[in-house]
Amino acid sequence: MVNELREAAGKLLDDGKVDLVIGWAKGSLPLASTPVFISSSDEADQLVFDSTCGNNLTVYFTKDNKKISRDRKKVGIFVKGCDSRSLVLNITEKQLKREDVTIIGVPCSGVIDTRKVRRKAEGREVLEYSQDGDTVTIKGKEFELSVPLEELLSNACLSCLRKDAEEYDLFIGEPRKFSGESDPYSDIEEYENLSADERWERMNEEYSKCIRCYACRNVCPSCYCNVCFVDQNDPQWIGKTPEITDTMIFHIIRNLHIAGRCVECGACERACPMDIRLLYLNRKVAKEVRERFGSDTGTDLDQKPAMADFREDENQDFIMG
Amino acid sequence: MSNSYIPVPMKVKRIVIEDPEKALRTYDLIFQNEEDRKNFKYMPGQFCEWSLLGLGESPFGIASSPTEKDFLRFTVNRTGSVTNEIHYLREGDMVGLRGPLGNWYPVEKFKGGNVVIIGGGFAFTTLRSLIVYLLEHREDYKDITVIYGARNPDLFIYRDEISEWEKRDDIDVQLTIDNPVEGWTGRTGFVPTVTKEIGPDPDNTWVVVCGPPIMIKFTLPVLVDLKFPDERVYTSLERRMKCGIGKCGRCNIGSKYICVDGPVFSLAELKEIPESV
Amino acid sequence: MIRIKKENISGFIEGLMSDYVLFAPVKDGETVSFRKIESADSIAEDYMNTDKSPKDIFFPPAEVLFSFDSGEITKNECSEKPFAVWGLRGCDVKSLTLLNMVFGTARQNPEDEMFQDPYWKEKYDNALIIQTACNDPRSTCFCNWFGGSPHDGEKADILVIYIGDAYLLDPKSDKGRKYLETVKNTEPAAKKDIKEAERLRAEADSSLSAVFELDGIVGRMSGLFNSGVWEEIGAKCVNCGACAFICPTCHCFDVQDEGKGKKGKRIRIWDTCMFPVFTAEASGHNPRELSKDRLRQRFMHKYSYFMENYGEHLCTGCGRCVVVCPVNLDIREVAKKVMSYQS
């Protein structure tokens, strides 16, 4: 598969269809891949795709004053299912034009959460990682473990029903079609069943770990405000400390701001250096939006995000009681 | 031990509105504790952090001269929440002050030489401090020339004082406005152009330039053309600052911290600092 | 050098707790960080290094500079007991000495109290710094680039070497020596203990990767200031602050007032040059507009500016940023790229 994706990228560049390809390359650590920007076919051999490729590369269209869209006209981008939904969302929100991007889908079997790997290794450092089908082998000094991939997958991938891109120009291999089943949200059931006080306590527990590094926000393709509300200085909306009153407001408002815009890729949770379970709240809000408005974020180029759309026939009991 | 983060209390003694828009106001502050007054030793070019408890701080160049013993003078342009609050202050109100911070114009080096002072807009504050200081030590310096530009005649600050200087024969004051207006008898044109017209002689002359970034940007090449060596051209940099004592990193450019290594730099020094001009 | 049997070490820890406010690595979910501890049992074992650096012990992420009420200013008092820190790695001990260069004095005038940071000094100056030698460095450790080594304890007050059945405690300063003299239930280290410590030291040293030479990096970085290298390095950076906030040496901060009406407090809060708002001016102009400008500032502060000012790199090779960077922007590769870049 790796050869196919390198060839595809090289061909797009050689044919002049794109002048930049965004993909993943092997990272400097055994469990890490790293985003890479390829502008000529002889660099294409850096490209890889495997379960370490957790970054949602769509983020580069909206970050840094939209520099990529500004500097380059035609960009090719590799996408997993979730990444393609981010791209579609960004297109519906007019952050980029469909015709300016060549979408290359890759078959995704889920991406790993390095913390789960670390847990399996019981704190020992993982020095080698390899994958054979659904089995992952991790090695370190004086240990070797074989683990089913599923046990290492990012929480987001465990509930993912649309693993492959549905909107693409090219696909490496054969895309699996969305089965149409609906997400049971079993992962948040336990959370939902808690009392309000217990939920509050859980959120306190999670968000008190926050150090305000904004890695969650900055890797999120849906978070692209020119000036984020936490960065507003005059007037300043919220306090800047890493104390719970401030971090809670940051996370809740960010969460509400991506309501109906979150594609549940889990990039935020994987990026968090403090191991905060960000998906609890993201998935809870996504579930609410899905139940109320029936929309699947980022699956339809012609449909506005749920919270940016209004239809007379939609459920309005939140107003009418 | 001493704590540079804690402001000292100052009382607003006098407020002067400098422009018709009332966006520029000059404040004379007086110390409330004799100890604070004694500890406050400064030179022209230094600045202070004004401290409004509950709102934050804002840095301002000191416009008074150390030769003026009774007060500290600042001119504040209304731009954000802190300066807005400052504009609500009345005579008799209290503010916090931290300083003096930063380095100063090298008046010791200027001794025995001519001094050309080039200013623009309301960034004339520390230049006033310098001029008052030089006039107070007049015999130490040769010719003193002041070139001061503003968009229109209403936007010069310290107008009464400037009129006094214009009457003196030991200082040459050249005022210029951007575009001609009726009744204006001074020069017309932007500061860089007027500097070129006046063409000060670089021989044994020191220059201090202070004003909006755009004015500095275009004036420096004029001085280079006039053959002023980089070591004798000084300017004062402005960046966002917080702590004022070289810790917080906000004003760091290159290996310098503007709040302690500056704000005053020679052109020769600036050329060694990335991101400075 | 003294020896404390493994089973007796909690007695030593409890002794520390009665004389000092003691900080030690504590496990919190999947992460380990330094916390004030109340019991010897809560100290994490089997950690390679803490996820968060120890800087927040002496330089908290949000620190009250003073409180105010109707114009009356009150500085919060520091705890009566001095601080002690147990379980620091050599890289982190060094990072504290680097921070002390910034907060403890000032290069402009080391004697001038005006430039000494009282909040740092009241915690750090009297602190007892106890280092635990690294027997098993990680693949991301590169302290040897900066003259460090896993067992080098010269900057600590006490170096602790764990040899399996016992801890060897080696005083490295007068403060450390004086403290160890007060400790009971110790025995002098035997020859075989010292031999074992030497073996562990050699083993740890040899497990590090080769040193990458940084000689000349100051000049190279200045020369490359306007080159394309920063765009190449920085293209993938998403400008979060994960690297800066877990870094033991990054120390930029913001000052904010909190409170209503006349009552409130002035706080300093960690900040980083990686955030666009760090330099954004009220007018909307930002001197460091693009990601590459900000990332250049961070790396140049570490490997160029700090060296110019203090003769040291502002990096100790702890490798934390290598681990947490969400896009795997590896600082070791940045240094290598800068050193080999042809513009």
Side-chain angles (χ1 to χ4, degrees):
Chain A
M1 182 185 70
V2 167
N3 285 336
E4 264 182 276
L5 68 93
R6 290 176 183 172
E7 273 166 32
K11 191 161 185 320
L12 285 171
L13 288 160
D14 284 342
D15 294 350
K17 292 215 169 105
V18 299
D19 40 25
L20 179 78
V21 173
I22 311 176
W24 302 273
K26 193 169 167 14
S28 68
L29 303 175
L31 299 173
S33 68
T34 190
V36 67
F37 303 84
I38 306 282
S39 49
S40 94
S41 60
D42 51 350
E43 298 168 344
D45 60 353
Q46 295 178 47
L47 291 164
V48 298
F49 181 70
D50 59 26
S51 292
T52 66
C53 296
N55 285 103
N56 186 337
L57 303 173
T58 307
V59 75
Y60 292 109
F61 285 106
T62 50
K63 283 281 138 53
D64 207 7
N65 299 335
K66 307 183 174 60
K67 192 169 183 318
I68 290 213
S69 334
R70 223 175 41 209
D71 289 0
R72 316 269 182 157
K73 255 195 106 80
K74 302 280 183 193
V75 179
I77 183 169
F78 284 97
V79 294
K80 307 182 287 289
C82 50
D83 308 340
S84 80
R85 296 196 296 278
S86 283
L87 210 46
V88 168
L89 175 86
N90 281 344
I91 292 166
T92 61
E93 293 183 337
K94 304 208 171 5
Q95 297 305 303
L96 69 155
K97 292 192 178 119
R98 178 66 185 89
E99 59 268 29
D100 289 342
V101 57
T102 301
I103 307 174
I104 317 159
V106 283
C108 180
S109 42
V111 295
I112 54 161
D113 183 331
T114 54
R115 255 172 240 106
K116 290 193 182 179
V117 182
R118 196 162 124 171
R119 214 171 297 157
K120 282 279 176 211
E122 292 169 345
R124 294 167 295 185
E125 189 182 19
V126 176
L127 298 171
E128 270 180 61
Y129 169 92
S130 60
Q131 192 182 333
D132 183 12
D134 290 337
T135 306
V136 166
T137 305
I138 50 175
K139 283 187 208 169
K141 278 181 202 162
E142 293 156 14
F143 78 94
E144 180 172 335
L145 287 173
S146 282
V147 191
L149 174 64
E150 176 141 357
E151 292 179 20
L152 305 178
L153 286 182
S154 170
N155 290 334
C157 305
L158 293 174
S159 49
C160 176
L161 295 167
R162 298 168 183 261
K163 295 193 186 312
D164 291 340
E166 288 160 60
E167 178 69 32
Y168 56 84
D169 299 293
L170 281 173
F171 200 93
I172 309 297
E174 201 53 48
R176 287 156 294 179
K177 287 271 171 284
F178 170 48
S179 67
E181 60 187 306
S182 64
D183 188 341
Y185 287 98
S186 50
D187 54 323
I188 56 166
E189 236 169 52
E190 176 255 359
Y191 175 68
E192 284 183 313
N193 288 335
L194 298 174
S195 69
D197 284 347
E198 287 165 331
R199 285 205 300 272
W200 181 247
E201 200 177 307
R202 177 75 63 88
M203 279 168 59
N204 263 289
E205 217 172 274
E206 292 298 326
Y207 298 138
S208 62
K209 299 182 215 163
C210 179
I211 56 172
R212 299 286 290 264
C213 74
Y214 304 132
C216 52
R217 176 192 73 183
N218 287 23
V219 298
C220 174
S222 298
C223 257
Y224 57 74
C225 291
N226 280 342
V227 181
C228 176
F229 73 100
V230 293
D231 292 336
Q232 286 273 358
N233 276 333
D234 204 359
Q236 185 172 311
W237 301 111
I238 76 166
K240 304 218 171 199
T241 76
E243 276 151 23
I244 186 71
T245 44
D246 292 336
T247 57
M248 185 82 91
I249 294 175
F250 161 60
H251 286 285
I252 292 174
I253 297 188
R254 186 180 104 80
N255 187 256
L256 292 176
H257 203 178
I258 58 169
R261 305 174 58 247
C262 172
V263 300
E264 299 160 65
C265 68
C268 52
E269 193 171 279
R270 293 190 293 275
C272 177
M274 300 320 294
D275 195 26
I276 302 174
R277 292 281 304 271
L278 294 161
L279 280 169
Y280 272 138
L281 207 53
N282 287 3
R283 296 256 307 149
K284 172 67 182 156
V285 172
K287 181 188 177 188
E288 294 290 327
V289 172
R290 209 165 281 183
E291 282 174 355
R292 282 164 200 270
F293 307 108
S295 83
D296 257 357
T297 306
T299 55
D300 186 349
L301 276 173
D302 301 317
Q303 196 191 312
K304 286 183 186 166
M307 306 310 266
D309 201 10
F310 175 75
R311 274 176 254 151
E312 281 180 20
D313 61 347
E314 69 196 13
N315 187 346
Q316 304 193 22
D317 58 3
F318 68 100
I319 300 175
M320 311 304 285
Chain B
M1 68 179 293
S2 77
N3 185 331
S4 296
Y5 295 99
I6 295 182
V8 302
M10 304 287 288
K11 187 182 262 177
V12 179
K13 188 182 152 208
R14 174 170 168 268
I15 301 174
V16 176
I17 295 168
E18 297 280 357
D19 66 326
E21 308 268 297
K22 299 183 180 176
L24 293 165
R25 296 181 192 213
T26 294
Y27 298 83
D28 287 355
L29 306 183
I30 49 172
F31 286 97
Q32 292 306 284
N33 303 319
E34 182 53 21
E35 188 74 355
D36 295 339
R37 196 186 66 83
K38 269 198 284 186
N39 289 337
F40 196 97
K41 297 191 178 73
Y42 72 105
M43 290 295 282
Q46 290 195 279
F47 69 98
C48 288
E49 285 277 359
W50 276 49
S51 203
L52 279 88
L53 299 178
L55 270 172
E57 297 192 315
S58 212
F60 300 105
I62 308 172
S64 50
S65 155
T67 51
E68 297 166 304
K69 298 285 182 206
D70 299 337
F71 60 91
L72 293 178
R73 181 168 293 171
F74 299 87
T75 298
V76 177
N77 184 26
R78 192 172 57 204
T79 53
S81 55
V82 174
T83 48
N84 211 29
E85 197 61 24
I86 291 174
H87 275 226
Y88 285 123
L89 291 173
R90 295 176 179 207
E91 290 172 0
D93 284 348
M94 302 290 293
V95 292
L97 199 74
R98 295 195 297 123
L101 304 168
N103 67 353
W104 49 89
Y105 300 121
V107 286
E108 287 299 312
K109 282 191 192 168
F110 297 175
K111 275 186 181 170
N114 308 305
V115 185
V116 178
I117 293 160
I118 304 172
F122 64 90
F124 201 70
T125 53
T126 58
L127 297 183
R128 178 201 175 269
S129 171
L130 178 63
I131 293 164
V132 173
Y133 182 92
L134 296 179
L135 291 176
E136 201 61 35
H137 301 85
R138 190 65 194 85
E139 66 285 3
D140 290 340
Y141 305 93
K142 292 192 169 156
D143 295 349
I144 299 174
T145 311
V146 177
I147 302 169
Y148 181 19
R151 275 208 310 281
N152 63 58
D154 287 335
L155 292 178
F156 290 102
I157 53 175
Y158 318 134
R159 275 185 306 275
D160 294 347
E161 212 164 5
I162 289 169
S163 308
E164 294 301 314
W165 296 338
E166 283 182 306
K167 287 178 203 152
R168 292 172 70 143
D169 54 9
D170 60 351
I171 176 169
D172 176 18
V173 181
Q174 302 279 345
L175 300 183
T176 178
I177 55 170
D178 290 359
N179 295 302
V181 292
E182 215 169 298
W184 176 253
T185 54
R187 289 171 179 269
T188 316
F190 294 120
V191 167
T193 321
V194 170
T195 305
K196 203 171 183 174
E197 282 167 18
I198 295 170
D201 182 356
D203 185 42
N204 192 24
T205 306
W206 300 78
V207 189
V208 175
V209 193
C210 198
I214 189 86
M215 184 205 99
I216 295 179
K217 191 178 161 191
F218 287 103
T219 306
L220 293 178
V222 170
L223 296 170
V224 172
D225 284 349
L226 289 167
K227 306 270 186 284
F228 279 92
D230 294 343
E231 294 74 24
R232 280 200 256 129
V233 177
Y234 283 84
T235 186
S236 182
L237 291 186
E238 257 191 59
R239 281 290 192 288
R240 285 193 68 194
M241 290 181 193
K242 285 278 178 176
C243 74
I245 52 171
K247 313 290 181 212
C248 81
R250 198 161 299 258
C251 68
N252 169 231
I253 50 169
S255 59
K256 306 292 181 202
Y257 283 71
I258 292 175
C259 68
V260 285
D261 300 304
V264 176
F265 293 98
S266 72
L267 185 52
E269 288 168 319
L270 287 188
K271 283 186 172 170
E272 298 296 315
I273 310 174
E275 303 183 288
S276 60
V277 195
Chain C
M1 199 181 316
I2 60 166
R3 174 189 216 277
I4 298 178
K5 281 190 196 135
K6 190 180 179 185
E7 56 270 28
N8 293 338
I9 198 69
S10 53
F12 176 77
I13 302 280
E14 276 154 21
L16 281 171
M17 285 188 308
S18 64
D19 300 330
Y20 294 92
V21 176
L22 181 64
F23 292 81
V26 174
K27 200 159 196 279
D28 180 9
E30 291 300 307
T31 58
V32 178
S33 46
F34 285 93
R35 291 272 169 82
K36 197 182 289 180
I37 62 157
E38 312 289 346
S39 126
D41 306 336
S42 54
I43 298 180
E45 286 174 25
D46 296 333
Y47 68 99
M48 283 179 281
N49 202 353
T50 54
D51 292 82
K52 275 203 276 183
S53 85
K55 73 179 169 192
D56 48 2
I57 300 171
F58 302 102
F59 173 51
E63 180 163 36
V64 176
L65 296 176
F66 55 80
S67 311
F68 52 84
D69 191 353
S70 307
E72 206 54 40
I73 288 173
T74 323
K75 182 185 169 295
N76 291 28
E77 285 313 314
C78 191
S79 78
E80 280 169 29
K81 277 198 239 174
F83 286 8
V85 192
W86 165 271
L88 289 160
R89 300 296 187 193
C91 49
D92 288 343
V93 174
K94 181 172 181 190
S95 74
L96 296 174
T97 66
L98 296 174
L99 292 178
N100 193 45
M101 291 176 176
V102 177
F103 290 115
T105 62
R107 63 195 152 82
Q108 294 80 10
N109 186 355
E111 300 302 314
D112 192 341
E113 270 201 10
M114 175 185 169
F115 295 112
Q116 298 173 0
D117 190 292
Y119 305 91
W120 169 270
K121 286 179 76 69
E122 69 192 7
K123 297 193 240 348
Y124 183 75
D125 283 358
N126 298 317
L128 186 69
I129 302 293
I130 306 170
Q131 176 181 337
T132 305
C134 282
N135 290 340
D136 189 15
R138 285 193 275 207
S139 68
T140 47
C141 290
F142 57 114
C143 60
N144 52 345
W145 291 24
F146 307 98
S149 75
H151 277 234
D152 174 10
E154 294 311 311
K155 293 185 162 69
D157 293 314
I158 298 169
L159 174 68
V160 178
I161 307 163
Y162 178 55
I163 56 165
D165 60 344
Y167 292 85
L168 304 185
L169 280 73
D170 188 5
K172 293 290 183 186
S173 71
D174 283 345
K175 202 194 280 176
R177 200 163 296 119
K178 275 186 196 141
Y179 185 74
L180 287 188
E181 279 164 12
T182 69
V183 178
K184 296 181 188 93
N185 286 333
T186 66
E187 50 196 8
K191 265 204 177 123
K192 72 169 178 44
D193 297 333
I194 295 169
K195 253 205 155 124
E196 176 61 3
E198 278 165 7
R199 188 189 68 79
L200 288 166
R201 177 182 191 129
E203 193 178 273
D205 282 349
S206 67
S207 73
L208 288 180
S209 306
V211 172
F212 178 76
E213 220 24 88
L214 292 173
D215 278 359
I217 196 169
V218 173
R220 275 205 72 86
M221 279 191 155
S222 317
L224 292 172
F225 192 88
N226 290 313
S227 80
V229 73
W230 301 110
E231 180 133 17
E232 281 181 37
I233 292 170
K236 63 186 174 186
C237 175
V238 291
N239 268 249
C240 71
C243 51
F245 288 173
I246 52 90
C247 175
T249 64
C250 269
H251 57 267
C252 288
F253 62 86
D254 190 6
V255 180
Q256 294 262 331
D257 283 12
E258 270 189 7
K260 266 191 171 166
K262 291 185 180 285
K263 205 173 158 144
K265 51 197 176 175
R266 182 159 292 167
I267 317 171
R268 71 164 159 208
I269 305 165
W270 288 357
D271 204 345
T272 168
C273 57
M274 297 299 275
F275 293 158
V277 286
F278 189 70
T279 43
E281 289 164 11
S283 62
H285 170 69
N286 193 340
R288 296 194 192 114
E289 194 204 348
L290 293 175
S291 167
K292 69 172 170 69
D293 306 327
R294 303 192 282 272
L295 163 137
R296 175 180 62 198
Q297 168 66 21
R298 180 160 186 276
F299 289 120
M300 286 193 70
H301 195 178
K302 295 224 162 294
Y303 293 143
S304 177
Y305 306 152
F306 202 79
M307 180 55 100
E308 283 181 62
N309 286 332
Y310 297 100
E312 294 264 13
H313 288 303
L314 190 64
C315 174
T316 63
C318 75
R320 285 186 179 88
C321 58
V322 177
V323 177
V324 302
C325 176
V327 295
N328 186 234
L329 205 166
D330 188 324
I331 193 168
R332 298 169 299 179
E333 293 184 346
V334 173
K336 288 177 183 171
K337 179 137 195 166
V338 165
M339 291 304 276
S340 65
Y341 190 77
Q342 308 283 336
S343 45

